[in-house]
């Protein structure tokens, strides 16, 4: 993995490892049901609102250029709203979409063994199973995100040809 890919993976892990309360939780609580505990903490984070910088960070990871990063960000928060959100907290809906985008980006990085270029190509390329929609836009809805996850979980449907 090159430096960019390490940075991307670190940024995704930072967002998805959650707040310190998850790591320092009550003894035994996390070990007993890690996903339930994680999901509960993530739910609280999203309900309170993720930071606009979280969306900006994942957008920069996914977008290879400043324009591509802005396009990813616009899929969740339009420019007119972004001017008001920048430096503040996202709404619950925007936070949920950001968490969804980050979760699927992490899955895609895992699918392509850390190949950030392959992940970017997959997310930005219209996919036939999404009726020609780009995965990054399909993820705006929960049902679209489920379709993208399904594609990522079936190797025969992977589109990037990068090695």
């Amino acid at each position: 993995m090159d430096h960019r890919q390490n940075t991307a993976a670190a940024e995704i892990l930072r967002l998805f490892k959650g707040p310190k309360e998850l790591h320092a939780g009550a003894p035994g609580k996390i070990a007993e049901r890690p996903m339930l505990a994680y999901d509960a903490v993530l739910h609280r984070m999203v309900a309170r609102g993720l930071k606009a910088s979280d969306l900006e960070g994942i957008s920069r990871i996914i977008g290879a250029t400043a324009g591509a990063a802005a396009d990813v960000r616009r899929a969740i928060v339009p420019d007119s709203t972004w001017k008001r959100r920048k430096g503040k907290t996202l709404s619950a809906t925007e936070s949920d979409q950001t968490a969804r985008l980050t979760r699927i980006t992490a899955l895609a990085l895992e699918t392509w063994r850390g190949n950030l270029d392959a992940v970017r190509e997959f997310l930005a390329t219209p996919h036939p199973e999404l009726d020609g929609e780009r995965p990054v836009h399909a993820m705006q809805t929960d049902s679209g995100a489920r379709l993208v996850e399904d594609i990522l979980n079936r190797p025969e449907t992977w589109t990037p040809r990068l090695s």
Side-chain angles (χ1 to χ4, degrees):
M1 220 186 277
D2 71 19
H3 176 68
R4 276 183 320 161
Q5 293 163 343
N6 281 332
T7 302
E11 180 65 20
I12 288 170
L13 285 174
R14 184 197 64 74
L15 178 58
F16 267 80
K17 283 192 175 181
K20 292 177 183 160
E21 66 186 85
L22 177 61
H23 306 296
K29 181 178 181 186
I30 300 302
E32 291 171 17
R33 299 189 296 186
M35 282 313 294
L36 181 60
Y38 174 78
D39 287 343
V41 170
L42 182 61
H43 169 70
R44 286 193 301 274
M45 289 170 62
V46 169
R48 284 191 291 243
L50 296 175
K51 298 176 206 159
S53 60
D54 292 329
L55 173 56
E56 197 166 35
I58 191 65
S59 296
R60 285 186 189 144
I61 290 168
I62 296 170
T65 65
D71 185 45
V72 170
R73 193 242 329 129
R74 274 188 217 102
I76 295 175
V77 180
D79 287 335
S80 57
T81 305
W82 181 248
K83 291 174 186 172
R84 293 187 304 274
R85 293 280 191 273
K86 198 169 181 182
K88 297 183 180 163
T89 302
L90 299 173
S91 71
T93 300
E94 294 160 349
S95 294
D96 188 49
Q97 289 177 335
T98 299
R100 186 181 307 134
L101 177 66
T102 305
R103 184 184 74 243
I104 292 175
T105 300
L107 175 60
L109 275 169
E110 183 180 313
T111 298
W112 280 288
R113 296 183 181 96
N115 185 335
L116 185 57
D117 291 330
V119 170
R120 286 173 170 164
E121 181 183 339
F122 171 74
L123 294 174
T125 302
H127 197 282
E129 290 189 51
L130 301 171
D131 294 328
E133 188 174 12
R134 297 182 316 149
V136 72
H137 288 141
M139 290 187 285
Q140 290 177 341
T141 65
D142 185 57
S143 57
R146 289 177 193 208
L147 288 170
V148 174
E149 286 174 333
D150 183 57
I151 291 166
L152 288 169
N153 285 317
R154 289 182 290 119
E156 70 275 9
T157 62
W158 297 348
T159 54
R161 304 289 188 256
L162 302 173
S163 55

